[in-house]
Amino acid sequence: MNKAVVVFSGGQDSTTCLVKALSEYDEVHAITFDYGQRHKLEIEVAQQLAQELGVKAHKVMDVSLLNELAISSLTRDDIAVSHELQENGLPNSFVPGRNILFLTLAGIYAYQVGAETIITGVCETDFSGYPDCRDEFVKAMNQSLVVGMDKPLFIQTPLMWLNKAETWALADQYDALDLVREKTLTCYNGIIGDGCGDCPSCDLRKTGLTDYLNNQQSVMAELIRKQASPDR
C-alpha cells in the first residue's frame, strides 16, 4: 500500500498538499503540531478539514517545548507581527527550528505507520523568507532522516518552486479552490478564509489569489509546465 504523511497546519499550502496527496496515495495520514502558536485556531481548522477530506488518521502533537525555546511573533502574543525584517534579515514571525522539529517528528511517525513519503508545503519561490523553507534545507533534512533511521524516506515538496498564484492554480486543478479559499487558516491573526487582510501571510495569499483569478489561463499553463519539469 502506498502511504504518505502530510505535515498539516490547516493553512492554504498544507491543505493544497493534502488534497493532492489524497488523489495520489492509497493511505494518507496528517500530522499537526501544537506549539502554542499565536493562531492556535489552526489546530481546530486542521481537525475539521482532515475529517471532511477523509484522511486515514490525523495526529495532533503537543510540542509546546518549542514555544518555550523559540521567541517569535508567532509564539508570543505581546510581539506584534511586523512587515519589516529584523537586523538578521528575517521576519519576526520566523520560529527557529520549527521545520527541523516538525520534519523529524513526521519522519518518526512515517516510520511507525510504514509510509515512505512525507509531504510538506514549504516553498522557496514565494515565501516569507524562512531559511527552513528552502530546498537546500529539505534535502539535507531528508538525508539526515534516511541515515538516522536507516529507512527509505522521501520528503516531497509539491509547492517548492511555485509562486502563490500557481499554488492557487494547483488547488483549482484538484477542484479545491473554494475549499481552500473559504475554510483554511493562513492568517497570523487567526481569521479563517481571507483573513485579517493586513498581516504578511494575508498579503501573500491575497496577492496570489488576485493574480490567479485575473490570469487563470497563463498561470495554469505555467503550473503545468513546472509539473512537467518538477526540479525547478
Side-chain angles (χ1 to χ4, degrees):
M1 183 177 287
N2 199 11
K3 301 180 183 180
V5 171
V6 178
V7 178
F8 185 50
S9 70
Q12 174 191 357
D13 294 342
S14 66
T15 302
T16 302
C17 288
L18 180 59
V19 169
K20 182 176 185 293
L22 286 165
S23 74
E24 297 175 343
Y25 292 86
D26 301 317
E27 186 174 297
V28 175
H29 295 249
I31 185 168
T32 299
F33 298 100
D34 180 356
Y35 59 98
Q37 54 266 54
R38 182 191 202 99
H39 44 308
K40 193 167 184 176
L41 179 62
E42 72 175 18
I43 298 167
E44 183 179 327
V45 169
Q47 290 172 320
Q48 292 170 348
L49 285 168
Q51 183 175 7
E52 180 175 345
L53 292 169
V55 301
K56 171 67 176 179
H58 181 213
K59 180 176 285 293
V60 178
M61 294 202 65
D62 180 358
V63 290
S64 52
L65 177 63
L66 179 63
N67 188 290
E68 296 181 32
L69 295 172
I71 298 175
S72 158
S73 63
L74 297 193
T75 60
R76 298 293 185 274
D77 289 336
D78 59 347
I79 301 176
V81 179
S82 174
H83 289 267
E84 305 299 324
L85 298 180
Q86 302 175 100
E87 290 183 3
N88 61 6
L90 298 175
N92 75 348
S93 55
F94 173 58
V95 182
R98 180 172 59 173
N99 283 339
I100 297 172
L101 178 62
F102 288 3
L103 289 173
T104 298
L105 294 174
I108 297 169
Y109 183 50
Y111 187 100
Q112 297 301 324
V113 300
E116 293 190 352
T117 302
I118 299 170
I119 300 171
T120 178
V122 299
C123 170
E124 186 170 325
T125 302
D126 200 354
F127 73 134
S128 300
Y130 302 155
D132 59 358
C133 288
R134 296 177 298 182
D135 187 58
E136 178 184 14
F137 160 74
V138 173
K139 284 183 167 59
M141 196 70 207
N142 199 155
Q143 179 65 11
S144 295
L145 290 173
V146 169
V147 173
M149 294 193 291
D150 194 22
K151 182 186 188 304
L153 196 63
F154 176 59
I155 301 177
Q156 188 182 103
T157 53
L159 312 184
M160 181 58 74
W161 307 118
L162 304 186
N163 61 36
K164 264 295 183 283
E166 291 158 359
T167 299
W168 282 111
L170 182 62
D172 202 9
Q173 197 176 53
Y174 287 91
D175 298 319
L177 182 65
D178 289 342
L179 178 140
V180 172
R181 183 175 183 179
E182 297 168 5
K183 296 186 176 182
T184 62
L185 173 57
T186 303
C187 175
Y188 289 154
N189 290 312
I191 300 175
I192 297 171
D194 292 335
C196 69
D198 180 60
C199 72
S201 185
C202 284
D203 284 348
L204 193 59
R205 175 179 168 129
K206 181 180 179 180
T207 299
L209 179 60
T210 301
D211 186 8
Y212 175 58
L213 293 178
N214 290 339
N215 306 280
Q216 290 190 36
Q217 289 187 333
S218 60
V219 173
M220 187 65 78
E222 181 60 13
L223 170 65
I224 292 170
R225 185 195 69 79
K226 288 183 177 181
Q227 288 172 328
S229 304
D231 290 339
R232 275 308 281 265

